[in-house]
Amino acid sequence: MSVLHQGSLYSATAPAALYIAGILPHPRTLAVHESFFPWDDRRRPLRAALLEWLGQFAESAAWEETPADPQDADDADALEAVLACRAVRPEIFDAVAPYLDDQDDTVREAALGAVTHLLAADDLADRIPAAADRLERIARGRGPRRERAGALLTLARWGRDTAMLLTDEDPAVRTCAALGTADPSAVDVLLAALADPVAVDGWFDEPLPQVDGWFRFTVLHGLLERAESFEQILPAALALIPLCSQYTVDRD
């Protein structure tokens, strides 16, 4: 928390990230712990928590990323810290990527979240094809729902077509596949999901690393991007209205 407070980056953040990446292979990171945070009741290997932190680090480093000039910054020290964090992303990626194949599913999920944010960087674009091939194998596999869904959402973010799983037997996997393709049948898959938005919100016990808020928000956004008329989305709209509150109306 001290070197990544609410997403802020400091002069110590890049060195701390390199240190955390460096200790990931240590056997002591396999120890299972409860979370430091009182609102998080997960128990998982320390390695998963460290990988999750590296994902938060990468997300913060990529925030509003544009070519920057320290002379143009209001705070040159702050900009220097941000640029230092961006400069170490290749090393962080090399340390994180092997854990996409870890035996522990919580470690794999945390690694996927970190890789998703790390590969948002333009200077790591050349790593995407190999990583995407890896994630396609995960998505097509018989692994846990969270893992397959997360892989599909990351593939969609990278612009890879995910139509190959539009007919998967798992409705959550089908829906995530629909979010990553322009195939016309994707609209029907998304409409079918939003016919029961309560079920959609219950697909994942914890939000996926690629998702902000209730999962129905992501599904609705995908439907609105693809639908051609309000009449087409009316059934979904009627199903969503009972869930609306003052806290969610802007997303519902």
Side-chain angles (χ1 to χ4, degrees):
M1 292 176 63
S2 298
V3 294
L4 193 64
H5 181 63
Q6 296 182 344
S8 298
L9 303 174
Y10 307 94
S11 59
T13 308
L18 288 172
Y19 177 81
I20 290 173
I23 66 171
L24 286 173
H26 198 284
R28 290 175 67 182
T29 65
L30 295 174
V32 176
H33 294 276
E34 62 184 10
S35 173
F36 173 81
F37 301 106
W39 58 83
D40 185 353
D41 60 1
R42 291 176 294 175
R43 287 183 56 83
R44 54 185 178 157
L46 175 61
R47 183 176 290 167
L50 295 176
L51 284 163
E52 185 175 275
W53 187 91
L54 288 172
Q56 294 167 349
F57 159 83
E59 183 178 20
S60 296
W63 179 256
E64 295 185 343
E65 186 164 8
T66 56
D69 183 346
Q71 295 179 349
D72 296 333
D74 293 332
D75 186 339
D77 289 339
L79 180 57
E80 184 178 355
V82 172
L83 295 179
C85 290
R86 292 173 180 171
V88 302
R89 287 181 296 194
E91 295 173 75
I92 303 296
F93 176 83
D94 290 340
V96 167
Y99 295 101
L100 290 171
D101 299 316
D102 195 85
Q103 293 182 345
D104 188 285
D105 57 353
T106 63
V107 171
R108 292 195 306 270
E109 179 180 336
L112 176 59
V115 163
T116 299
H117 293 301
L118 286 163
L119 293 187
D122 290 341
D123 57 346
L124 288 176
D126 62 322
R127 316 284 185 96
I128 289 179
D133 290 342
R134 204 170 187 174
L135 294 192
E136 282 192 8
R137 291 195 296 272
I138 292 173
R140 292 176 182 271
R142 309 303 300 175
R145 165 185 278 180
R146 286 186 63 87
E147 185 173 21
R148 299 179 67 207
L152 285 166
L153 293 177
T154 298
L155 289 168
R157 180 174 293 189
W158 293 343
R160 298 286 285 252
D161 190 274
T162 55
M164 70 283 191
L165 289 171
L166 281 174
T167 58
D168 192 86
E169 61 185 21
D170 187 324
V173 172
R174 288 199 302 271
T175 301
C176 289
L179 293 170
T181 181
D183 189 296
S185 62
V187 172
D188 293 332
V189 173
L190 297 174
L191 282 170
L194 289 177
D196 189 354
V198 174
V200 169
D201 286 342
W203 281 342
F204 308 106
D205 294 337
E206 297 285 339
L208 294 169
Q210 304 89 341
V211 173
D212 179 27
W214 292 109
F215 192 52
R216 72 177 187 270
F217 300 154
T218 298
V219 179
L220 175 60
H221 185 74
L223 175 62
L224 293 176
E225 286 184 328
R226 293 163 176 78
E228 297 179 353
S229 68
F230 180 71
E231 287 73 19
Q232 194 174 17
I233 67 165
L234 182 57
L238 293 173
L240 284 163
I241 285 172
L243 277 64
C244 288
S245 74
Q246 61 180 326
Y247 304 107
T248 67
V249 66
D250 57 328
R251 304 289 298 276
D252 280 320

